[in-house]
PDB file of all heavy atoms in Angstrom:
ATOM      1  N   LYS A1504     -24.511 -37.803   9.500  1.00  0.00           N
ATOM      2  CA  LYS A1504     -24.043 -39.159   9.216  1.00  0.00           C
ATOM      3  C   LYS A1504     -24.686 -39.782   7.960  1.00  0.00           C
ATOM      4  O   LYS A1504     -25.802 -39.518   7.681  1.00  0.00           O
ATOM      5  CB  LYS A1504     -24.436 -40.026  10.486  1.00  0.00           C
ATOM      6  CG  LYS A1504     -23.574 -39.664  11.736  1.00  0.00           C
ATOM      7  CD  LYS A1504     -24.015 -40.628  12.963  1.00  0.00           C
ATOM      8  CE  LYS A1504     -23.239 -40.153  14.194  1.00  0.00           C
ATOM      9  NZ  LYS A1504     -23.475 -41.112  15.305  1.00  0.00           N
ATOM     10  N   GLU A1505     -23.875 -40.598   7.390  1.00  0.00           N
ATOM     11  CA  GLU A1505     -24.411 -41.283   6.108  1.00  0.00           C
ATOM     12  C   GLU A1505     -25.692 -42.042   6.437  1.00  0.00           C
ATOM     13  O   GLU A1505     -26.617 -41.856   5.496  1.00  0.00           O
ATOM     14  CB  GLU A1505     -23.272 -42.224   5.662  1.00  0.00           C
ATOM     15  CG  GLU A1505     -23.612 -43.038   4.429  1.00  0.00           C
ATOM     16  CD  GLU A1505     -22.527 -44.073   4.036  1.00  0.00           C
ATOM     17  OE1 GLU A1505     -21.270 -43.651   4.433  1.00  0.00           O
ATOM     18  OE2 GLU A1505     -22.736 -45.048   3.264  1.00  0.00           O
ATOM     19  N   GLN A1506     -25.834 -42.765   7.409  1.00  0.00           N
ATOM     20  CA  GLN A1506     -26.983 -43.606   7.586  1.00  0.00           C
ATOM     21  C   GLN A1506     -28.198 -42.799   7.958  1.00  0.00           C
ATOM     22  O   GLN A1506     -29.348 -43.323   7.845  1.00  0.00           O
ATOM     23  CB  GLN A1506     -26.730 -44.689   8.693  1.00  0.00           C
ATOM     24  CG  GLN A1506     -26.400 -44.162  10.096  1.00  0.00           C
ATOM     25  CD  GLN A1506     -24.911 -43.978  10.367  1.00  0.00           C
ATOM     26  OE1 GLN A1506     -24.152 -43.772   9.275  1.00  0.00           O
ATOM     27  NE2 GLN A1506     -24.627 -43.986  11.655  1.00  0.00           N
ATOM     28  N   ASP A1507     -28.008 -41.558   8.385  1.00  0.00           N
ATOM     29  CA  ASP A1507     -29.128 -40.710   8.638  1.00  0.00           C
ATOM     30  C   ASP A1507     -29.477 -39.721   7.565  1.00  0.00           C
ATOM     31  O   ASP A1507     -30.552 -39.021   7.737  1.00  0.00           O
ATOM     32  CB  ASP A1507     -28.822 -39.843   9.801  1.00  0.00           C
ATOM     33  CG  ASP A1507     -28.490 -40.633  11.107  1.00  0.00           C
ATOM     34  OD1 ASP A1507     -29.017 -41.700  11.310  1.00  0.00           O
ATOM     35  OD2 ASP A1507     -27.629 -40.023  12.065  1.00  0.00           O
ATOM     36  N   LEU A1508     -28.893 -39.885   6.426  1.00  0.00           N
ATOM     37  CA  LEU A1508     -29.233 -38.918   5.342  1.00  0.00           C
ATOM     38  C   LEU A1508     -30.637 -39.142   4.821  1.00  0.00           C
ATOM     39  O   LEU A1508     -31.410 -38.215   4.568  1.00  0.00           O
ATOM     40  CB  LEU A1508     -28.195 -39.086   4.120  1.00  0.00           C
ATOM     41  CG  LEU A1508     -28.437 -38.189   2.946  1.00  0.00           C
ATOM     42  CD1 LEU A1508     -28.502 -36.580   3.353  1.00  0.00           C
ATOM     43  CD2 LEU A1508     -27.333 -38.411   2.012  1.00  0.00           C
ATOM     44  N   PRO A1509     -31.053 -40.521   4.481  1.00  0.00           N
ATOM     45  CA  PRO A1509     -32.432 -40.577   3.901  1.00  0.00           C
ATOM     46  C   PRO A1509     -33.502 -40.042   4.886  1.00  0.00           C
ATOM     47  O   PRO A1509     -34.379 -39.471   4.296  1.00  0.00           O
ATOM     48  CB  PRO A1509     -32.525 -42.165   3.877  1.00  0.00           C
ATOM     49  CG  PRO A1509     -31.192 -42.630   3.694  1.00  0.00           C
ATOM     50  CD  PRO A1509     -30.376 -41.757   4.682  1.00  0.00           C
ATOM     51  N   ALA A1510     -33.354 -40.176   6.226  1.00  0.00           N
ATOM     52  CA  ALA A1510     -34.289 -39.580   7.089  1.00  0.00           C
ATOM     53  C   ALA A1510     -34.319 -37.949   6.928  1.00  0.00           C
ATOM     54  O   ALA A1510     -35.355 -37.397   7.126  1.00  0.00           O
ATOM     55  CB  ALA A1510     -34.055 -40.003   8.531  1.00  0.00           C
ATOM     56  N   PHE A1511     -33.155 -37.499   6.792  1.00  0.00           N
ATOM     57  CA  PHE A1511     -33.005 -36.052   6.726  1.00  0.00           C
ATOM     58  C   PHE A1511     -33.685 -35.505   5.448  1.00  0.00           C
ATOM     59  O   PHE A1511     -34.436 -34.548   5.372  1.00  0.00           O
ATOM     60  CB  PHE A1511     -31.549 -35.496   6.768  1.00  0.00           C
ATOM     61  CG  PHE A1511     -31.388 -34.053   6.757  1.00  0.00           C
ATOM     62  CD1 PHE A1511     -31.862 -33.243   7.757  1.00  0.00           C
ATOM     63  CD2 PHE A1511     -30.799 -33.381   5.596  1.00  0.00           C
ATOM     64  CE1 PHE A1511     -31.729 -31.864   7.807  1.00  0.00           C
ATOM     65  CE2 PHE A1511     -30.699 -32.107   5.598  1.00  0.00           C
ATOM     66  CZ  PHE A1511     -31.155 -31.212   6.625  1.00  0.00           C
ATOM     67  N   ILE A1512     -33.479 -36.281   4.334  1.00  0.00           N
ATOM     68  CA  ILE A1512     -34.076 -35.982   2.948  1.00  0.00           C
ATOM     69  C   ILE A1512     -35.599 -35.942   3.241  1.00  0.00           C
ATOM     70  O   ILE A1512     -36.298 -35.075   2.688  1.00  0.00           O
ATOM     71  CB  ILE A1512     -33.569 -36.821   1.918  1.00  0.00           C
ATOM     72  CG1 ILE A1512     -32.129 -36.634   1.553  1.00  0.00           C
ATOM     73  CG2 ILE A1512     -34.527 -36.753   0.632  1.00  0.00           C
ATOM     74  CD1 ILE A1512     -31.572 -37.735   0.628  1.00  0.00           C
ATOM     75  N   SER A1513     -36.090 -36.957   3.891  1.00  0.00           N
ATOM     76  CA  SER A1513     -37.608 -36.981   4.268  1.00  0.00           C
ATOM     77  C   SER A1513     -38.056 -35.735   4.946  1.00  0.00           C
ATOM     78  O   SER A1513     -39.019 -35.199   4.651  1.00  0.00           O
ATOM     79  CB  SER A1513     -37.955 -38.248   4.923  1.00  0.00           C
ATOM     80  OG  SER A1513     -37.673 -39.343   4.053  1.00  0.00           O
ATOM     81  N   LYS A1514     -37.204 -35.280   5.866  1.00  0.00           N
ATOM     82  CA  LYS A1514     -37.502 -34.188   6.660  1.00  0.00           C
ATOM     83  C   LYS A1514     -37.598 -32.887   5.804  1.00  0.00           C
ATOM     84  O   LYS A1514     -38.488 -31.990   6.015  1.00  0.00           O
ATOM     85  CB  LYS A1514     -36.501 -34.013   7.834  1.00  0.00           C
ATOM     86  CG  LYS A1514     -36.836 -32.900   8.673  1.00  0.00           C
ATOM     87  CD  LYS A1514     -35.745 -32.836   9.920  1.00  0.00           C
ATOM     88  CE  LYS A1514     -35.942 -31.668  10.863  1.00  0.00           C
ATOM     89  NZ  LYS A1514     -34.845 -31.590  11.976  1.00  0.00           N
ATOM     90  N   VAL A1515     -36.512 -32.754   4.900  1.00  0.00           N
ATOM     91  CA  VAL A1515     -36.556 -31.576   4.114  1.00  0.00           C
ATOM     92  C   VAL A1515     -37.645 -31.493   3.099  1.00  0.00           C
ATOM     93  O   VAL A1515     -38.302 -30.415   3.031  1.00  0.00           O
ATOM     94  CB  VAL A1515     -35.271 -31.573   3.301  1.00  0.00           C
ATOM     95  CG1 VAL A1515     -35.221 -30.432   2.094  1.00  0.00           C
ATOM     96  CG2 VAL A1515     -34.034 -31.467   4.164  1.00  0.00           C
ATOM     97  N   VAL A1516     -38.099 -32.643   2.534  1.00  0.00           N
ATOM     98  CA  VAL A1516     -39.236 -32.701   1.676  1.00  0.00           C
ATOM     99  C   VAL A1516     -40.576 -32.426   2.367  1.00  0.00           C
ATOM    100  O   VAL A1516     -41.331 -31.727   1.741  1.00  0.00           O
ATOM    101  CB  VAL A1516     -39.186 -34.005   0.776  1.00  0.00           C
ATOM    102  CG1 VAL A1516     -40.435 -34.148  -0.047  1.00  0.00           C
ATOM    103  CG2 VAL A1516     -38.011 -34.102  -0.046  1.00  0.00           C
ATOM    104  N   ASN A1517     -40.649 -32.879   3.592  1.00  0.00           N
ATOM    105  CA  ASN A1517     -41.792 -32.741   4.263  1.00  0.00           C
ATOM    106  C   ASN A1517     -41.963 -31.109   4.657  1.00  0.00           C
ATOM    107  O   ASN A1517     -43.178 -30.741   4.543  1.00  0.00           O
ATOM    108  CB  ASN A1517     -41.804 -33.532   5.675  1.00  0.00           C
ATOM    109  CG  ASN A1517     -42.083 -34.956   5.476  1.00  0.00           C
ATOM    110  OD1 ASN A1517     -42.613 -35.456   4.510  1.00  0.00           O
ATOM    111  ND2 ASN A1517     -41.638 -35.711   6.424  1.00  0.00           N
ATOM    112  N   GLN A1518     -40.838 -30.500   4.874  1.00  0.00           N
ATOM    113  CA  GLN A1518     -41.049 -29.147   5.096  1.00  0.00           C
ATOM    114  C   GLN A1518     -41.368 -28.395   3.837  1.00  0.00           C
ATOM    115  O   GLN A1518     -41.966 -27.378   3.819  1.00  0.00           O
ATOM    116  CB  GLN A1518     -39.665 -28.546   5.712  1.00  0.00           C
ATOM    117  CG  GLN A1518     -39.689 -27.183   6.105  1.00  0.00           C
ATOM    118  CD  GLN A1518     -40.811 -26.793   7.043  1.00  0.00           C
ATOM    119  OE1 GLN A1518     -40.898 -27.503   8.145  1.00  0.00           O
ATOM    120  NE2 GLN A1518     -41.545 -25.776   6.918  1.00  0.00           N
TER     121      GLN A1518
END
Side-chain angles (χ1 to χ4, degrees):
K1504 296 181 179 179
E1505 176 181 337
Q1506 62 268 29
D1507 296 331
L1508 180 57
F1511 183 69
I1512 292 175
S1513 296
K1514 183 179 178 181
V1515 169
V1516 174
N1517 286 340
Q1518 185 60 48

